[in-house]
Amino acid sequence: MGDNRSFLQNSFLTFTRQIANIAIGVLLLVVLARILGPGRQGKYSLITLLPTVLLTFLTLGINTSTIYYVSKGEVELNTVYNNNILSGLFLSFISMMVGAVVIYFFSDHFFNQTPHVLLYFCLLSLPFMFLREFFQTVFQGLQDFKLYNTAMVINQFSILASIVLFTLVLGWGLVGAISAFISGNLITVMFMIRALKKQHKLKARLHSFSFAYFKKSVKYGLKVHISNFASFLNYRIVIFLIGYFMVDSAVGIYVTAMNIGERLTIFAASFSNVLYPKVASCESEEERNRLTSVVSRNILALSVSLAIIGALVAKDLIVYLFGGEYRESAGLLQIMLPGIAFLSVEKILSNDIAGRGKPELNMYLSIFNVGFNFILNVFLIPKHGLAGAALAATITYFVSFICKAFMFRIVTKEPFHRFLLIKKEDIRLYKRAAMKVKLRRHA
């Protein structure tokens, strides 16, 4: 019972911090949209997407294996910390070299309207992005979700504050927005180093790199890594394709709808981040099945409800926040929302499967999704423009959800209704929680 309470407390803590993260993130989107406009915002999205793709591609799964091995307590924590620092710096250097080659040879194809010097400049963010990624998974493996979520909030807030300084105060425009992206990641890494040193007594001993742990972490992590990278491409490849088939302003319109839609996955993200290390550390198969089933069916009900509400208010909300230039984003968001609701549940099921030590199952489906989504976008974008891209996303998310539900059913032997349909006991749980809140207010 204590473990369940801990899981709920961590999930609720993550949820409340995610609320702050989303609020800052939406404000960041609004500031960027208002200052840059669709054209320059599209350029910003394409420029910052390049290091993000390189980060996702070249982590080698070390971030995911960190969660897995730290949560199991199989590796000395300081060894993980030291390895992650050196691995992060080395892989970021490789990423910068790869990025420079991509810009030099392929920028005219995918970034033809984007200043190439800013593409090179944005590569400077990679060392901080790698260290941020590798440090935050240490927090996640330790199930220290207070610091984990605080770091996420600091990342969003520091980027926002830097954008206000560099664009509004100093008037640097697109250069200022890219500078803010770099400085935001730097500030986050500095906070994480201080927190890991102060709260968990970790010290950097860069001479004590463990090749044995590195080999072990990559061997496990690569299975998850291929799946994560394929999933990332599945969500982001459309941005490159829109940039290829259309203009940068179209990228800005689409990215606005996509970013708002992704904010609606808050419930899934809150529980999913806590679920992975929890499932990995569980000893009872029955407890794993029960825990994920409860989370999955409730997230599905909440996500569908949010999608319906979002569809109803999308037009007025987006025009109010971002301005009339982004009116088309509202229609795109309405097309995406059904798929995003199913994506929320798929993330829960994916983390459960990975936490059981079967990440290769997620990998196979993710590879299929990339090919399927690519074909849909190549067919639909030239014919239907941005609406075609949004429709491709929803179709891909729904097909992926159906496949993942069958996977989970095969792995766990749980009936579909147990992890997909809300039950009376869940309603009673909500009533008890509401009653407790009411009693506390009157106390």
Side-chain angles (χ1 to χ4, degrees):
M1 184 67 183
D3 289 341
N4 291 337
R5 187 179 294 112
S6 176
F7 174 80
L8 291 173
Q9 287 173 344
N10 283 332
S11 299
F12 181 74
L13 175 63
T14 303
F15 171 69
T16 54
R17 295 295 171 91
Q18 286 278 13
I19 289 286
N21 200 32
I22 284 178
I24 297 170
V26 169
L27 185 56
L28 173 60
L29 293 175
V30 171
V31 170
L32 282 171
R34 294 283 186 176
I35 293 174
L36 300 180
R40 287 193 297 172
Q41 190 194 13
K43 289 181 174 64
Y44 173 84
S45 299
L46 285 168
I47 292 168
T48 55
L49 180 61
L50 178 60
T52 306
V53 170
L54 292 168
L55 167 73
T56 309
F57 180 60
L58 287 168
T59 59
L60 303 182
I62 292 173
N63 49 346
T64 309
S65 62
T66 295
I67 303 171
Y68 185 77
Y69 287 115
V70 170
S71 64
K72 284 182 168 292
E74 293 184 2
V75 182
E76 204 270 323
L77 191 57
N78 225 98
T79 298
V80 176
Y81 179 60
N82 289 319
N83 269 40
N84 281 10
I85 292 175
L86 290 173
S87 299
L89 293 174
F90 175 73
L91 292 173
S92 66
F93 175 76
I94 298 298
S95 298
M96 293 172 74
M97 296 301 101
V98 172
V101 171
V102 169
I103 295 168
Y104 186 81
F105 287 103
F106 301 104
S107 56
D108 289 337
H109 296 285
F110 294 101
F111 308 98
N112 59 326
Q113 298 180 350
T114 303
H116 295 177
V117 66
L118 291 184
L119 289 166
Y120 287 111
F121 178 50
C122 198
L123 295 179
L124 296 177
S125 64
L126 280 165
F128 313 123
M129 293 174 71
F130 269 89
L131 291 176
R132 185 203 71 202
E133 183 73 17
F134 285 179
F135 289 158
Q136 72 181 21
T137 50
V138 174
F139 292 131
Q140 200 172 348
L142 290 167
Q143 301 188 49
D144 185 349
F145 289 99
K146 182 178 180 181
L147 286 176
Y148 171 80
N149 290 293
T150 300
M152 292 180 67
V153 172
I154 286 176
N155 183 245
Q156 291 284 329
F157 182 78
S158 56
I159 293 176
L160 175 60
S162 299
I163 281 180
V164 171
L165 173 62
F166 296 147
T167 60
L168 285 178
V169 178
L170 299 178
W172 291 357
L174 186 57
V175 175
I178 303 302
S179 300
F181 181 78
I182 297 171
S183 64
N185 283 288
L186 168 61
I187 292 168
T188 307
V189 168
M190 292 171 63
F191 166 79
M192 288 180 167
I193 291 174
R194 184 175 182 277
L196 287 168
K197 183 178 180 180
K198 183 177 180 181
Q199 300 296 327
H200 298 285
K201 312 303 179 186
L202 297 183
K203 296 180 180 179
R205 300 188 182 95
L206 303 185
H207 61 280
S208 59
F209 183 83
S210 171
F211 286 98
Y213 171 64
F214 178 78
K215 182 179 178 181
K216 183 179 181 180
S217 64
V218 171
K219 183 178 180 181
Y220 172 85
L222 275 177
K223 298 177 184 178
V224 185
H225 175 61
I226 295 172
S227 172
N228 288 344
F229 182 65
S231 294
F232 175 83
L233 280 183
N234 189 37
Y235 307 147
R236 293 294 185 270
I237 197 170
V238 62
I239 297 177
F240 286 120
L241 291 174
I242 292 172
Y244 180 80
F245 286 116
M246 303 179 73
V247 294
D248 287 351
S249 59
V251 175
I253 296 293
Y254 186 87
V255 165
T256 297
M258 182 183 71
N259 285 335
I260 292 295
E262 288 181 347
R263 296 302 189 274
L264 298 179
T265 62
I266 175 176
F267 296 106
S270 302
F271 283 89
S272 185
N273 289 333
V274 180
L275 185 67
Y276 179 36
K278 181 66 178 177
V279 168
S281 61
C282 273
E283 297 181 0
S284 166
E285 198 73 13
E286 181 181 351
E287 178 63 14
R288 287 174 177 167
N289 294 347
R290 190 194 67 79
L291 185 61
T292 302
S293 294
V294 171
V295 173
S296 174
R297 64 182 184 248
N298 282 278
I299 289 299
L300 178 58
L302 288 168
S303 298
V304 169
S305 300
L306 280 175
I308 293 171
I309 295 170
L312 293 174
V313 304
K315 183 177 179 180
D316 293 334
L317 179 66
I318 286 182
V319 172
Y320 176 76
L321 290 176
F322 299 95
E325 292 177 300
Y326 292 88
R327 191 179 303 275
E328 189 181 355
S329 299
L332 301 178
L333 178 59
Q334 290 171 327
I335 296 172
M336 293 179 194
L337 282 172
I340 289 171
F342 291 113
L343 174 66
S344 298
V345 184
E346 194 215 339
K347 288 182 177 181
I348 296 292
L349 301 180
S350 295
N351 272 1
D352 176 278
I353 291 170
R356 294 170 191 264
K358 300 179 184 293
E360 65 276 5
L361 298 180
N362 293 328
M363 177 184 69
Y364 301 144
L365 180 57
S366 295
I367 293 172
F368 165 78
N369 286 340
V370 171
F372 182 64
N373 189 38
F374 181 83
I375 292 170
L376 283 177
N377 276 293
V378 169
F379 176 74
L380 291 174
I381 291 176
K383 286 192 172 185
H384 304 286
L386 294 179
L391 181 60
T394 284
I395 293 172
T396 303
Y397 294 158
F398 179 72
V399 170
S400 183
F401 162 74
I402 295 297
C403 294
K404 193 60 62 71
F406 274 96
M407 274 187 190
F408 184 78
R409 169 74 177 87
I410 292 169
V411 169
T412 65
K413 305 295 190 279
E414 288 284 286
F416 289 110
H417 69 84
R418 191 169 295 173
F419 63 91
L420 294 179
L421 298 180
I422 199 94
K423 298 183 178 300
K424 290 182 179 178
E425 62 189 74
D426 300 318
I427 305 298
R428 289 195 292 268
L429 180 63
Y430 293 146
K431 288 181 178 178
R432 287 198 299 269
M435 187 62 68
K436 286 181 180 180
V437 172
K438 186 177 179 180
L439 289 174
R440 285 177 182 175
R441 286 182 177 178
H442 290 288

